[in-house]
């Protein structure tokens, strides 16, 4: 439970963070520390250096941006939950931020850390996938945009390069129907299974939490909806293309059955 030795540097700009990443291949960014430090204590990761970006206050914001909402990557869950802009324009983000862990986690954890960590059991990656978010990465060559569909290529892997900082997340305005169904054994637990549904373009985008190696869109459900299926019929396809884990919280079979129930509930709420 004691991390391996590491160096520490606090940076005041994104450019300094990028330079520090380039100077040491074993270095990692530290934002809220609520995923990285537990991993370090278990020695799953042993960075040679932590580059602390936790005080880059310029990257903590939520504001309306044309047809969407721009969210700074260092915005903490607590501030997302409290944001009037999000509550009005993309309420699923504010609501789900309020369902992550406990108050201590929500006061430290950042949306950017959650995305970069790419935990398939994480709530926010799944929600951002359903929203079709755009991720802005800043690296030595400047900024580039990454589409939601490309952001989570594998287990605990994001599309960010080793010398890039995730700086902004852009989501479309979606004040209409939405739902996040998070099934937990106890209050404040991680999702055994989660389902995000957002009404868009006359249908719904649906994504799944903890149903495979990555957060994923429920392609079969979306196809059924596009073909005119009702929520109950579409929900029967919830586990298509998934590979749910089996653990002490539930078997593969249990999660598949649960996903169908949660997708139906999510669609009924989002499309009501
Ligand atoms: C007790 C507990 C309960 C929790 N419950 C839940 C839950 O119910 N649901 C849930 O979704 N999550 C849960 N979490 C995880 C929590 O959401 C984490 O805070 C979040 O996943 C990571 O955000 P962070 O800012 O703490 O990132 P950190 O731990 O600082 O970093 C995580 C990873 O992302 C990288 N990183 C961070 N910021 C950036 C950036 N801007 N650009 C590039 N890379 C970056 C880091 O280098 C590191 O690899 C829980 C955590 C704890 C400790």
């Amino acid at each position: 439970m004691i991390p391996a030795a590491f160096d520490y540097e606090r940076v005041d700009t994104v450019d300094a963070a990028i330079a520090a990443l380039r100077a040491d291949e074993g270095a990692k960014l530290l934002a809220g520390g609520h995923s990285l430090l537990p991993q370090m204590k278990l020695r799953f990761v042993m960075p040679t250096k932590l580059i602390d970006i936790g005080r880059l206050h310029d990257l903590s914001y939520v504001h309306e941006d044309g047809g969407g909402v721009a969210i700074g990557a260092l915005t903490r869950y607590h501030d997302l939950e409290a944001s009037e802009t999000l509550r009005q324009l993309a309420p699923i983000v504010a609501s789900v931020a309020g369902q992550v862990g406990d108050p201590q986690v929500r006061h430290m954890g950042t949306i950017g850390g959650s995305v970069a960590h790419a935990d398939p059991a994480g709530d926010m990656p799944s929600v951002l996938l359903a929203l079709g978010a755009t991720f802005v990465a800043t690296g030595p060559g400047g900024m580039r945009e990454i589409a939601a569909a490309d952001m989570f290529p594998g287990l605990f892997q994001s599309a960010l390069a080793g010398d890039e900082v995730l700086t902004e997340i852009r989501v479309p305005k979606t004040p209409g129907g939405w739902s996040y169904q998070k099934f937990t054994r106890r209050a404040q637990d991680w999702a055994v299974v989660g389902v995000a549904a957002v009404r868009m373009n006359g249908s719904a985008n649906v994504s799944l939490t903890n149903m495979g190696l990555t957060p994923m869109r429920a392609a079969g459900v979306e196809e059924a909806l596009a073909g005119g299926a009702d929520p109950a019929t579409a929900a029967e396809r919830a586990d298509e293309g998934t590979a749910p884990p089996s653990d002490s919280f539930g078997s593969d079979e249990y999660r598949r059955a649960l996903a169908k129930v949660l997708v139906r509930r999510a669609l009924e709420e989002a499309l009501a």
Side-chain angles (χ1 to χ4, degrees), residues 5-9 11 16-30 36 40 45-52 161-164:
F6 57 89
D7 291 331
Y8 172 88
E9 179 183 355
V11 293
I18 294 166
L21 283 172
R22 286 171 72 78
D24 182 345
E25 267 193 16
K28 276 187 111 32
L29 299 176
L30 174 72
L36 183 56
M40 288 171 61
V45 292
M46 289 185 276
T48 47
K49 184 179 197 177
L50 291 187
I51 302 163
D52 189 349
D163 56 2
E164 284 183 322

Side-chain angles (χ1 to χ4, degrees), residues 22 28 31 41 51 78 81 90 97 109 111 126 134 139 152 157 161 164 168 180 196 212 217 219 228 237 248 253:
R22 286 171 72 78
K28 276 187 111 32
K41 287 182 178 177
I51 302 163
H78 170 76
E81 185 186 3
I111 187 168
S126 180
T134 300
F152 306 107
Q157 280 179 355
E164 284 183 322
E168 187 172 272
Y180 189 65
R217 289 279 282 269
R237 296 181 60 182
S248 56
E253 192 184 8

Side-chain angles (χ1 to χ4, degrees), residues 28-29 31-36 77 101 105 109-110 113 116 122-123 166 182 190:
K28 276 187 111 32
L29 299 176
H34 272 58
S35 290
L36 183 56
Y77 294 115
V105 174
T110 64
D123 298 298
L166 179 62
K182 178 174 180 175
W190 293 77

Side-chain angles (χ1 to χ4, degrees), residues 67-230:
V69 181
I71 305 169
L74 261 290
T75 313
R76 297 179 197 275
Y77 294 115
H78 170 76
D79 297 319
L80 298 173
E81 185 186 3
S83 163
E84 266 312 311
T85 305
L86 280 175
R87 285 181 183 206
Q88 285 178 23
L89 301 179
I92 190 171
V93 178
S95 171
V96 172
Q99 298 177 45
V100 171
D102 51 47
Q104 289 95 326
V105 174
R106 296 197 290 273
H107 276 88
M108 289 303 292
T110 64
I111 187 168
S114 167
V115 170
H117 187 56
D119 187 336
D123 298 298
M124 204 50 85
S126 180
V127 166
L128 296 172
L129 197 57
L131 285 168
T134 300
F135 301 93
V136 181
T138 306
M143 291 199 291
R144 72 181 173 113
E145 293 184 357
I146 304 169
D150 302 324
M151 192 60 189
F152 306 107
L155 182 64
F156 291 107
Q157 280 179 355
S158 79
L160 295 166
D163 56 2
E164 284 183 322
V165 180
L166 179 62
T167 44
E168 187 172 272
I169 295 133
R170 298 178 187 147
V171 298
K173 288 180 188 169
T174 44
W178 59 274
S179 177
Y180 189 65
Q181 299 288 324
K182 178 174 180 175
F183 189 87
T184 56
R185 284 213 311 204
R186 300 166 305 187
Q188 302 184 348
D189 265 355
W190 293 77
V192 178
V193 173
V195 174
V198 184
R199 195 191 317 167
M200 280 181 143
N201 307 322
S203 188
N205 289 0
V206 182
S207 66
L208 304 170
T209 308
N210 215 6
M211 282 294 286
L213 297 181
T214 64
M216 59 182 72
R217 289 279 282 269
V221 174
E222 293 181 355
E223 190 181 277
L225 288 173
D230 60 72

